[in-house]
Amino acid sequence: GPWGRYTLMARRLVEAGVSFVTVDMPHWDTHSKIKSGLEARLPYLDQAVAGLLQDLKERSLLEDVLVVIMGEFGRTPKLNKGQPGIPIPGRDHWGQAMSVILAGGGLKMGQVVGATSDKAEHPTERPLVPADVLATIYHVLGIDPQTRFADFAGRPVPLVDNGKPIREII
């Protein structure tokens, strides 16, 4: 399917020397019909990501390629009553808890870091923030996450605000 072709193209771009590739797998912003939406998408995501990781490993590229799978937020633990134009109950954007998958790039894989409450309302164990994910990505890229640069007024601006690489996977 399309997502398999997207990840195949990403692997080919990496083989050709492209250092940063984004694979967009659209249509995930489902505020309603979440179960049917996920049932329609997760098998394809699973196949595409598994195929990409296997492909990278077979070509000895996985240690040098960091694969990041994430969105920009999680979903509310409780259903809403619907939205304007969408009368079906659904879930809204939720910044208090989300999931991120990091694979390859020389990271220690095969583990879960952190946990949430049983309803995914908030972190209960080893809370991390998006800046920690970004600091980890910069670390893998060989960029010091503590780097600062000067803005137009000469004031120091941090590359990452208060983020630290995730020690369990470094």
Side-chain angles (χ1 to χ4, degrees), residues 14-106:
V14 167
E15 280 185 315
V18 175
S19 59
F20 188 90
V21 179
T22 298
V23 176
D24 181 25
M25 296 183 173
H27 311 296
W28 282 90
D29 201 5
T30 54
H31 288 272
S32 59
K33 298 184 181 177
I34 293 174
K35 183 177 181 196
S36 63
L38 290 177
E39 287 173 346
R41 290 170 183 84
L42 284 177
Y44 296 104
L45 176 67
D46 185 46
Q47 291 173 358
V49 171
L52 174 62
L53 294 176
Q54 181 178 343
D55 213 7
L56 291 170
K57 186 175 181 181
E58 287 173 0
R59 287 169 169 72
S60 300
L61 293 169
L62 189 56
E63 285 297 309
D64 298 320
V65 175
L66 176 63
V67 177
V68 180
I69 303 156
M70 64 183 287
E72 68 272 28
F73 47 77
R75 288 291 182 183
T76 52
K78 297 179 182 171
L79 288 172
N80 62 32
K81 293 184 169 124
Q83 300 178 346
I86 308 173
I88 302 163
R91 298 186 189 274
D92 296 315
H93 300 174
W94 184 255
Q96 286 80 352
M98 63 184 284
S99 299
V100 176
I101 298 172
L102 300 172

Side-chain angles (χ1 to χ4, degrees), residues 131-151:
D132 297 323
V133 175
L134 186 56
T136 304
I137 293 169
Y138 280 134
H139 175 84
V140 170
L141 293 172
I143 300 169
D144 181 0
Q146 301 303 312
T147 299
R148 295 181 175 272
F149 57 93
D151 68 8

